[in-house]
Amino acid sequence: QLQESGPGLVKPSQTLSLTCTVSGSSIHNGNYYWTWIRHHPGGGLEWIGYIYYDGNTYFNPSLKSRLTMSIDTSENQFSLNLIFVTAADTAVYYCARCPIPGYFDYWGQGAPVTVSS
Amino acid sequence: QSALTQPASVSGSPGQSITISCTGTASDVGTYKLVSWYQHHPGKVPKLMIYEDDKRPSGVSFRFSGSKSGNTASLTISGLQAEDEADYYCCSYGGRFNWLFGGGTKLTVL
């Protein structure tokens, strides 16, 4: 199971921070990438990026300049930070597990995030 | 604009079969055997239905099948049921550690 946590409201130009807590699967398992995906209101899904257990990260080129991810294997958690957010970053943010080579088999419940002053 | 092109909507009657297309390019769908399909009921968690073009995860009905020809992947649902009504998204590896989703297709069961 995966569970997202973080604030549901972020002001424009500030930083969006979310954490995903994983249970039932070790985040230290080298068979998976740990992923963030978002769903824009009325729109489609967008892959944000993922992180490997060793800390290597891979990002959507369109978000790369504003994005960082981290992983805490002791807590079985991984996190996302997106800086300088705008209304276009309003979405439901999902964390998901990605077995190598690639698909998304388990998803969190989703964390709705609104960017508004 | 999404990287992969899907029809905005499809519909069918119970018992019928429908196919949802997902068109990419030779750099993504046409190169990698890494197309997956997700069913999304609004307000629920997206569910993996097909992975690696045509593999079905354990627990997914045999009525769901995936295929690919050239740069276009397809999801076919046979024996349509009311519970199949949902949004469906395709996804493909795009190379250089980038993943692409389609814009989604709304399936209506008439």
Side-chain angles (χ1 to χ4, degrees), chain A residues 33 37 39 43-47 50 58-61 94 98 101-105 107-109, chain B residues 2 34 36 38 40 44-48 51-52 89 91 93 97-104:
Chain A
Y33 292 111
I37 293 165
H39 187 195
L45 296 170
E46 181 181 26
W47 178 77
Y50 50 33
Y58 308 89
F59 298 151
N60 186 318
Y94 294 97
C98 177
Y103 49 92
F104 310 107
D105 61 349
W107 299 57
Q109 290 295 315
Chain B
S2 299
L34 288 173
S36 50
Y38 301 87
H40 191 202
K44 299 286 184 68
V45 177
K47 178 182 178 182
L48 175 69
Y51 67 102
E52 293 176 4
Y89 293 90
C91 178
Y93 184 58
F97 290 99
N98 190 27
W99 291 86
L100 311 171
F101 279 95

Side-chain angles (χ1 to χ4, degrees), chain B residues 11-67:
Chain B
S11 62
S13 299
Q16 288 185 332
S17 294
I18 64 95
T19 296
I20 300 172
S21 62
C22 171
T23 302
T25 71
S27 299
D28 39 70
V29 173
T31 292
Y32 303 100
K33 190 175 166 60
L34 288 173
V35 173
S36 50
W37 289 90
Y38 301 87
Q39 177 190 65
H40 191 202
H41 289 103
K44 299 286 184 68
V45 177
K47 178 182 178 182
L48 175 69
M49 305 304 285
I50 296 289
Y51 67 102
E52 293 176 4
D53 290 4
D54 55 14
K55 295 179 181 176
R56 196 168 46 246
S58 173
V60 171
S61 172
F62 67 92
R63 299 185 298 105
F64 291 83
S65 62
S67 62

Side-chain angles (χ1 to χ4, degrees), chain B residues 25 29-31 68-73:
Chain B
T25 71
V29 173
T31 292
K68 191 169 72 177
S69 177
N71 300 334
T72 297

